[in-house]
Coordinates of all heavy atoms in Angstrom, one line a residue:
I45 N 18.1 6.5 -10.1 CA 18.9 5.7 -11.0 C 20.4 5.8 -10.5 O 21.0 4.9 -10.1 CB 18.8 6.1 -12.4 CG1 17.4 5.9 -13.0 CG2 19.9 5.3 -13.3 CD1 17.1 4.5 -13.3
V46 N 20.9 7.1 -10.6 CA 22.2 7.4 -10.0 C 22.0 8.5 -9.1 O 21.3 9.5 -9.4 CB 23.3 7.8 -11.1 CG1 23.6 6.6 -11.9 CG2 22.7 8.9 -12.0
L55 N 25.0 3.8 -7.9 CA 24.0 3.2 -8.8 C 23.0 2.4 -7.9 O 23.4 1.7 -7.0 CB 24.7 2.2 -9.8 CG 25.4 2.8 -11.0 CD1 26.4 3.9 -10.6 CD2 26.1 1.7 -11.8
N56 N 21.7 2.5 -8.3 CA 20.7 1.7 -7.6 C 20.8 0.2 -8.0 O 21.4 -0.1 -9.0 CB 19.3 2.3 -7.9 CG 18.4 2.2 -6.7 OD1 18.6 1.3 -5.8 ND2 17.4 3.0 -6.6
R57 N 20.0 -0.6 -7.2 CA 19.9 -2.0 -7.6 C 19.4 -2.2 -8.9 O 18.4 -1.5 -9.3 CB 19.0 -2.7 -6.5 CG 18.7 -4.2 -6.7 CD 19.9 -5.0 -6.2 NE 20.1 -4.8 -4.8 CZ 19.5 -5.4 -3.8 NH1 18.6 -6.3 -4.1 NH2 19.7 -5.2 -2.6
G58 N 20.0 -3.0 -9.8 CA 19.5 -3.3 -11.1 C 20.1 -2.3 -12.1 O 19.9 -2.5 -13.3
V59 N 20.8 -1.2 -11.7 CA 21.4 -0.3 -12.6 C 22.8 -0.8 -12.9 O 23.6 -1.0 -12.0 CB 21.4 1.1 -12.0 CG1 22.1 2.1 -12.9 CG2 20.0 1.6 -11.7
T60 N 23.1 -1.0 -14.2 CA 24.3 -1.6 -14.6 C 25.2 -0.7 -15.4 O 24.7 0.0 -16.3 CB 24.0 -2.9 -15.5 OG1 23.2 -3.8 -14.7 CG2 25.3 -3.5 -16.0
P61 N 26.5 -0.5 -15.0 CA 27.4 0.4 -15.7 C 27.9 -0.3 -17.0 O 27.9 -1.5 -17.1 CB 28.6 0.6 -14.7 CG 28.6 -0.7 -13.9 CD 27.1 -1.1 -13.8
Y62 N 28.3 0.5 -17.9 CA 28.9 -0.1 -19.2 C 29.9 0.9 -19.7 O 29.9 2.1 -19.3 CB 27.8 -0.4 -20.2 CG 27.0 0.7 -20.8 CD1 27.5 1.3 -22.0 CD2 25.9 1.1 -20.2 CE1 26.8 2.4 -22.5 CE2 25.1 2.2 -20.8 CZ 25.6 2.8 -22.0 OH 24.9 3.8 -22.6
L76 N 30.4 8.2 -16.9 CA 29.9 7.0 -16.2 C 28.5 6.7 -16.9 O 27.6 7.5 -16.8 CB 29.7 7.2 -14.7 CG 29.0 6.0 -14.0 CD1 29.8 4.8 -14.0 CD2 28.7 6.4 -12.5
R77 N 28.5 5.6 -17.6 CA 27.3 5.2 -18.4 C 26.5 4.0 -17.6 O 27.1 3.1 -17.1 CB 27.6 4.7 -19.8 CG 28.4 5.7 -20.6 CD 29.0 5.1 -21.9 NE 29.8 6.0 -22.7 CZ 31.1 6.3 -22.5 NH1 31.7 5.6 -21.4 NH2 31.7 7.1 -23.2
T78 N 25.2 4.1 -17.7 CA 24.4 3.1 -17.0 C 23.2 2.7 -17.8 O 22.7 3.5 -18.7 CB 23.9 3.5 -15.6 OG1 22.8 4.4 -15.8 CG2 25.0 4.1 -14.8
V79 N 22.7 1.4 -17.6 CA 21.5 1.0 -18.2 C 20.6 0.3 -17.1 O 21.1 -0.3 -16.2 CB 21.8 0.0 -19.4 CG1 22.6 -1.2 -18.8 CG2 20.5 -0.5 -20.0
W80 N 19.3 0.6 -17.3 CA 18.3 -0.1 -16.4 C 17.1 -0.5 -17.2 O 16.7 0.3 -18.1 CB 17.9 0.9 -15.3 CG 16.8 0.3 -14.4 CD1 17.0 -0.5 -13.3 CD2 15.4 0.5 -14.5 NE1 15.7 -0.8 -12.7 CE2 14.7 -0.2 -13.5 CE3 14.6 1.2 -15.4 CZ2 13.4 -0.3 -13.3 CZ3 13.2 1.2 -15.3 CH2 12.6 0.4 -14.2
M81 N 16.6 -1.7 -17.0 CA 15.4 -2.1 -17.7 C 14.4 -2.6 -16.6 O 14.7 -3.1 -15.6 CB 15.7 -3.2 -18.6 CG 16.7 -2.8 -19.7 SD 17.1 -4.2 -20.9 CE 18.6 -3.6 -21.6
P82 N 13.1 -2.4 -16.9 CA 12.1 -2.9 -16.0 C 12.2 -4.4 -15.8 O 12.6 -5.2 -16.7 CB 10.7 -2.6 -16.7 CG 11.1 -1.5 -17.6 CD 12.5 -1.7 -18.1
A87 N 16.5 -6.4 -23.7 CA 16.7 -6.0 -25.1 C 16.9 -7.2 -26.0 O 17.4 -8.2 -25.5 CB 18.0 -5.0 -25.1
F94 N 20.1 -2.7 -30.9 CA 19.3 -3.5 -30.0 C 17.9 -3.0 -30.0 O 17.6 -1.8 -30.1 CB 19.8 -3.6 -28.6 CG 21.2 -4.1 -28.5 CD1 21.9 -4.0 -27.2 CD2 21.8 -4.8 -29.5 CE1 23.1 -4.5 -27.1 CE2 23.1 -5.4 -29.3 CZ 23.7 -5.2 -28.1
Y96 N 15.4 -2.3 -27.6 CA 15.2 -2.1 -26.2 C 13.8 -2.1 -25.8 O 12.9 -1.5 -26.5 CB 15.9 -0.7 -25.7 CG 17.4 -0.8 -25.7 CD1 18.1 -0.4 -26.9 CD2 18.1 -1.2 -24.6 CE1 19.5 -0.4 -26.9 CE2 19.5 -1.3 -24.6 CZ 20.2 -0.9 -25.8 OH 21.5 -0.9 -25.8
P97 N 13.5 -2.7 -24.6 CA 12.1 -2.7 -24.1 C 11.6 -1.3 -23.7 O 12.4 -0.4 -23.3 CB 12.1 -3.6 -23.0 CG 13.5 -3.5 -22.4 CD 14.4 -3.3 -23.7
G99 N 10.5 1.4 -21.3 CA 10.9 1.6 -19.9 C 12.3 1.6 -19.7 O 12.8 1.9 -18.6
T100 N 13.1 1.2 -20.7 CA 14.6 1.2 -20.6 C 15.0 2.7 -20.3 O 14.6 3.6 -20.9 CB 15.3 0.8 -21.8 OG1 14.9 -0.6 -22.1 CG2 16.8 0.9 -21.7
V101 N 16.0 2.8 -19.3 CA 16.5 4.1 -19.0 C 18.1 4.0 -19.1 O 18.7 3.2 -18.4 CB 16.2 4.6 -17.5 CG1 16.8 6.0 -17.3 CG2 14.7 4.6 -17.4
L102 N 18.6 4.8 -20.0 CA 20.1 4.9 -20.1 C 20.5 6.3 -19.5 O 19.8 7.3 -19.8 CB 20.5 4.9 -21.6 CG 20.1 3.6 -22.4 CD1 20.2 3.9 -23.9 CD2 20.9 2.4 -21.9
T103 N 21.6 6.3 -18.8 CA 22.1 7.6 -18.3 C 23.6 7.6 -18.7 O 24.3 6.6 -18.8 CB 22.0 7.7 -16.8 OG1 23.0 6.9 -16.1 CG2 20.6 7.4 -16.3
K104 N 24.1 8.9 -18.8 CA 25.5 9.1 -19.0 C 25.9 10.4 -18.2 O 25.4 11.5 -18.5 CB 25.8 9.3 -20.5 CG 27.3 9.5 -20.8 CD 27.6 9.3 -22.3 CE 26.9 10.2 -23.2 NZ 27.5 10.0 -24.7
L148 N 18.2 9.1 -21.2 CA 17.5 8.7 -22.4 C 16.5 7.6 -22.0 O 16.9 6.5 -21.5 CB 18.5 8.2 -23.4 CG 18.1 8.1 -24.9 CD1 17.7 9.5 -25.4 CD2 19.2 7.5 -25.7
W155 N 12.1 7.2 -28.1 CA 13.0 7.7 -27.0 C 12.8 9.1 -26.7 O 12.5 9.9 -27.5 CB 14.4 7.4 -27.4 CG 14.8 6.0 -27.6 CD1 14.7 5.2 -28.6 CD2 15.4 5.2 -26.5 NE1 15.2 3.9 -28.4 CE2 15.6 3.9 -27.1 CE3 15.7 5.4 -25.2 CZ2 16.1 2.8 -26.3 CZ3 16.3 4.4 -24.5 CH2 16.5 3.1 -25.0
P220 N 25.3 2.2 -26.8 CA 25.1 0.8 -26.4 C 24.6 -0.1 -27.6 O 23.5 -0.5 -27.7 CB 24.1 0.9 -25.3 CG 23.3 2.2 -25.6 CD 24.4 3.1 -26.2
L225 N 29.9 -2.2 -27.4 CA 29.8 -2.9 -26.1 C 30.7 -4.2 -26.0 O 30.9 -4.7 -24.9 CB 28.4 -3.3 -25.8 CG 27.4 -2.1 -25.5 CD1 26.0 -2.7 -25.4 CD2 27.8 -1.4 -24.3
Y231 N 33.5 -5.2 -13.5 CA 32.4 -5.2 -12.5 C 32.9 -5.5 -11.1 O 34.0 -6.1 -10.9 CB 31.3 -6.2 -12.9 CG 30.7 -6.0 -14.3 CD1 31.1 -6.7 -15.4 CD2 29.8 -5.0 -14.5 CE1 30.6 -6.5 -16.6 CE2 29.2 -4.8 -15.7 CZ 29.6 -5.6 -16.8 OH 29.1 -5.4 -18.0
H241 N 27.6 -10.4 -19.9 CA 27.1 -9.9 -18.6 C 25.6 -9.5 -18.8 O 24.8 -9.9 -18.0 CB 27.9 -8.8 -18.1 CG 27.5 -8.3 -16.7 ND1 27.8 -9.0 -15.6 CD2 26.8 -7.2 -16.3 CE1 27.3 -8.3 -14.5 NE2 26.6 -7.3 -15.0
W242 N 25.3 -8.8 -19.8 CA 23.9 -8.3 -20.0 C 23.0 -9.6 -20.2 O 21.9 -9.6 -19.7 CB 23.8 -7.4 -21.2 CG 24.3 -6.0 -21.0 CD1 25.3 -5.6 -20.2 CD2 23.8 -4.9 -21.7 NE1 25.4 -4.2 -20.3 CE2 24.5 -3.7 -21.2 CE3 22.9 -4.6 -22.7 CZ2 24.3 -2.4 -21.6 CZ3 22.7 -3.3 -23.1 CH2 23.3 -2.2 -22.6
I245 N 22.5 -11.3 -16.7 CA 21.6 -10.6 -15.8 C 20.2 -10.4 -16.4 O 19.3 -9.9 -15.8 CB 22.1 -9.3 -15.3 CG1 22.2 -8.3 -16.5 CG2 23.5 -9.5 -14.6 CD1 22.7 -6.9 -16.1
Y247 N 19.4 -8.8 -19.3 CA 19.1 -7.6 -20.0 C 19.3 -7.7 -21.5 O 19.1 -6.8 -22.3 CB 20.2 -6.5 -19.5 CG 19.7 -5.7 -18.3 CD1 18.5 -6.1 -17.6 CD2 20.4 -4.6 -17.9 CE1 18.1 -5.4 -16.5 CE2 19.9 -3.9 -16.8 CZ 18.8 -4.3 -16.1 OH 18.4 -3.6 -15.0

Side-chain angles (χ1 to χ4, degrees):
I45 298 283
V46 293
L55 282 54
N56 211 340
R57 180 78 61 84
V59 178
T60 299
Y62 67 90
L76 175 63
R77 303 168 182 84
T78 73
V79 57
W80 176 86
M81 299 179 201
F94 297 167
Y96 286 93
T100 298
V101 182
L102 301 167
T103 75
K104 183 161 60 171
L148 200 59
W155 291 89
L225 291 172
Y231 299 100
H241 183 78
W242 284 31
I245 64 175
Y247 273 11

